[in-house]
Amino acid sequence: SYELTQPPSVSVSPGQTARITCSGDTLGDVYTWWYQQKPGQSPVLVIYQDNKRPSGIPERMSGSKSGNTATLTISGAQAMDEADYYCQAWGNNNALFGGGTKVTVL
Amino acid sequence: QVQLVESGGGVVQPGGSVRLSCAASGFTFSGHGMHWVRQAPGKGLEWVAFIRYDGKTQYYADSVKGRFTISRDNSKNTLYLQMNSLRAEDTAVFYCAKDGFGSGHFFEYWGQGDLVTVSS
């Protein structure tokens, strides 16, 4: 079955850059969306259509795609960016999420 | 502002049924598709179902097809999820989410979630 693969965890020092990848066999043919979920909270959309930021999302969050791999980049990571991040795609009348990546800022 | 408030969750026995509701406000409910997404304790997100703005089209994840039914009442600005033949593995926080569409469906806004526990 089709899957989106993310690394389980990423660690970053404050002020440095974190990159979270999401790969899938046909991800290059569809858009990718990214969500941030902090402990005990609902997910929040942080990137849509591969690389666009909703209003209110800080500029340090950015998205990109190369081939079948999408990347969420957090530039100048802050303690408040510590959270789980999920990629998502839509195809065959189904939504699919990646397994999630826990970002630790330390 | 968009508000989505889920209700109806709780403890249900295996094989039992429960209906979740999601009260929507802050946007034109009848003009937007809606989703249910769930998250098992300590696990990732899993999409459950989608319903078109007018209720005429529904899509389901394979894991719930034939057991769950998504529906809506546009006159009440309310989304529903009828869950039958529940199993232990259905235990999760269930979120309703407002559909965004941009060459693919996504989840523009989320509710706070409602916990359904399937246990005897």
Side-chain angles (χ1 to χ4, degrees), chain A residues 31 33 35 37 41-45 48-49 86 88-90 93-95 97-99, chain B residues 35 37 39 43-47 59-61 95 102-107 110-112:
Chain A
Y31 281 121
W33 290 268
Y35 304 87
Q37 186 180 32
Q41 297 184 19
S42 303
V44 173
L45 178 70
Y48 67 99
Q49 289 183 346
Y86 295 90
Q88 178 248 317
W90 179 270
N93 297 329
N94 271 242
F97 288 99
Chain B
H35 299 265
V37 178
Q39 187 170 34
K43 302 297 185 183
L45 301 172
E46 180 188 16
W47 172 77
Y59 303 131
Y60 296 93
Y95 297 98
S103 298
H105 294 277
F106 65 101
F107 313 99
W110 300 64
Q112 86 286 350

Side-chain angles (χ1 to χ4, degrees), chain A residues 11 26 28 33 44 47-48 50 56-57 61 65 68 76 86-87:
Chain A
S11 295
T26 59
W33 290 268
V44 173
I47 293 290
Y48 67 99
D50 292 345
I57 301 301
M61 299 277 182
K65 183 177 286 181
N68 289 327
Y86 295 90
C87 61

Side-chain angles (χ1 to χ4, degrees), chain A residues 36-44 79-85:
Chain A
Q36 175 194 67
Q37 186 180 32
K38 296 182 179 180
Q41 297 184 19
S42 303
V44 173
M80 67 175 66
D81 300 326
E82 198 162 274
D84 294 325
Y85 292 84

Side-chain angles (χ1 to χ4, degrees), chain B residues 42-88:
Chain B
K43 302 297 185 183
L45 301 172
E46 180 188 16
W47 172 77
V48 173
F50 164 80
I51 187 167
R52 206 172 76 166
Y53 67 95
D54 57 4
K56 291 185 177 180
T57 298
Q58 303 89 30
Y59 303 131
Y60 296 93
D62 287 344
S63 58
V64 307
K65 204 171 292 183
R67 299 187 301 125
F68 291 9
T69 302
I70 188 171
S71 62
R72 64 191 297 159
D73 185 338
N74 285 346
S75 69
K76 295 182 178 179
N77 288 349
T78 303
L79 175 73
Y80 302 102
L81 185 67
Q82 177 68 43
M83 301 188 288
N84 299 330
S85 303
L86 284 162
R87 308 164 180 165

